[in-house]
Amino acid sequence: MQDKQSIIDNINKLKKEKNAVILAHNYQRDEIQDIADFIGDSLGLSREAVKQDADVIVFCGVDFMAESAAILSPEKTVIMPEIDAGCPMAAMVTPKSLREKREEYPDAAVVCYVNTSAAVKAECDICCTSANAVNVINSLDEDTIIFVPDKNLANFVDSQTDKTIIPWEGYCPTHHQILAGDVLLMKEQHPSAEFLAHPECRKDVLEIADKILSTTGMVNYVKQSDSKEFIIGTENGILHRLENENPDKTFYHASQYAICPNMKMITLDSVQKSLERMEYKIEVPEDIRKKAKRALDKMLEVKRSK
């Protein structure tokens, strides 16, 4: 059985041989973040994949993220170490169910969160991230918006815009594990800490947040904040990055249960096997890829929120 260092050494050797880069989402295991060339949110990593002069992208995340990289970098080989690492929230909407909803609201625009499959993106008018959702929706001419698949993000957006938002009944099971009672207990234990919540959290959790931020927003905010303590309301994997980048600050998770099992499926061994076997290749049919890319491109044309 290989020890940890020999696996890491072999991964680095295989990366050079195959001209590969490793992209890891903020929620990945600590050791996966440590070997990654880039750490970030799903769309940020896909955009990084476009910039890289690499033949192979090893995407350490969940299925829709690897698909986004394949959509934006069709000339590169995108592989995912664990093919069963799916996103439960993304699976809560299908192209068929979305087309049926469109028929109910023929005058509505459809905005889909990037946390959706390529096939669903292909059915949407425009994509959004948790950071730019409000700006994207306000940029549209339509007054009625079907928002898929996250009802919590939809409700947050609804509070920030005059448009009529029709939320999809989807949610992130991991962010649903973060309860207001747990947060209030943490605030009581750490009264000087700022509470940062991801907009995928429940409404009553967002109501007690000091700041509502995407994962990238959290990373950036913590760096410039004068505060020294933070309660983090998102998947607990991000604490590793926050602690590494801010050694003079202290971080607490809002809930010990905020762990995405699918994000944790990828291991050093599975990354090594992925590079050795060049599996599992993520391929998006060209007709779907073009439509999905159009929805992503439209989003990128909207002025980015700060």
Side-chain angles (χ1 to χ4, degrees), residues 229-243:
E229 292 182 281
F230 300 88
I231 299 164
I232 302 299
T234 190
E235 210 277 350
N236 292 340
I238 198 173
L239 267 71
H240 182 65
R241 179 179 180 184
L242 293 173
E243 288 166 349

Side-chain angles (χ1 to χ4, degrees), residues 16-214:
K16 287 180 183 175
E17 287 175 2
K18 308 206 174 184
N19 189 26
V21 293
I22 297 174
L23 308 181
H25 191 271
N26 291 312
Y27 299 159
Q28 287 289 297
R29 292 170 179 265
D30 297 358
E31 60 268 28
I32 299 301
Q33 294 187 43
D34 290 342
I35 62 160
D37 297 292
F38 300 95
I39 308 166
D41 61 26
S42 58
L43 187 66
L45 290 174
S46 293
R47 294 174 78 179
E48 194 61 54
V50 174
K51 297 179 195 173
Q52 294 305 306
D53 183 21
D55 297 315
V56 178
I57 306 296
V58 184
F59 211 113
C60 298
V62 291
D63 52 4
F64 76 83
M65 300 178 183
E67 282 187 340
S68 292
I71 289 166
L72 296 175
S73 301
E75 75 289 354
K76 293 171 183 167
T77 300
V78 178
I79 56 178
M80 190 173 156
E82 292 287 349
I83 196 62
D84 293 327
C87 172
M89 179 168 65
M92 291 177 188
V93 57
T94 65
K96 181 175 181 291
S97 60
L98 182 53
R99 284 194 293 270
E100 289 170 353
K101 181 64 76 174
R102 260 192 188 275
E103 289 176 7
E104 288 181 47
Y105 300 94
D107 296 327
V110 176
V111 176
C112 70
Y113 192 17
V114 290
N115 297 36
T116 47
S117 69
V120 166
K121 287 181 177 72
E123 297 288 335
C124 293
D125 296 307
I126 189 168
C127 291
C128 75
T129 68
S130 55
N132 68 16
V134 175
N135 279 1
V136 165
I137 283 168
N138 286 337
S139 75
L140 299 173
D141 293 332
E142 291 85 354
D143 292 323
T144 304
I145 311 294
I146 299 168
F147 190 96
V148 299
D150 184 11
K151 63 181 179 182
N152 290 327
L153 181 55
N155 288 333
F156 170 68
V157 169
D158 192 35
S159 71
Q160 307 290 310
T161 181
D162 293 331
K163 299 198 182 239
T164 301
I165 306 296
I166 300 163
W168 196 264
E169 278 299 309
Y171 61 93
C172 169
T174 299
H175 285 91
H176 247 50
Q177 298 284 351
I178 300 171
L179 304 178
D182 294 332
V183 175
L184 291 171
L185 185 61
M186 292 299 290
K187 280 172 142 318
E188 192 175 299
Q189 292 173 359
H190 309 285
S192 299
E194 282 192 75
F195 172 46
L196 312 183
H198 194 282
E200 288 179 26
C201 288
R202 298 165 183 259
K203 184 180 179 182
D204 59 347
V205 172
L206 298 183
E207 286 172 349
I208 56 174
D210 295 300
K211 295 286 181 182
I212 300 171
L213 299 163
S214 65

Side-chain angles (χ1 to χ4, degrees), residues 257-294:
Y257 303 110
I259 296 171
C260 174
N262 289 11
M263 278 287 188
K264 304 304 192 231
M265 288 176 77
I266 294 172
T267 64
L268 289 174
D269 188 50
S270 62
V271 172
Q272 176 180 237
K273 286 176 181 172
S274 183
L275 278 163
E276 285 173 344
R277 302 171 185 175
M278 289 299 290
E279 64 183 20
Y280 296 87
K281 288 186 182 177
I282 303 300
E283 295 175 322
V284 178
E286 187 61 11
D287 59 331
I288 290 175
R289 189 194 75 79
K290 283 182 177 176
K291 290 177 184 175
K293 185 175 185 297
R294 187 169 65 236

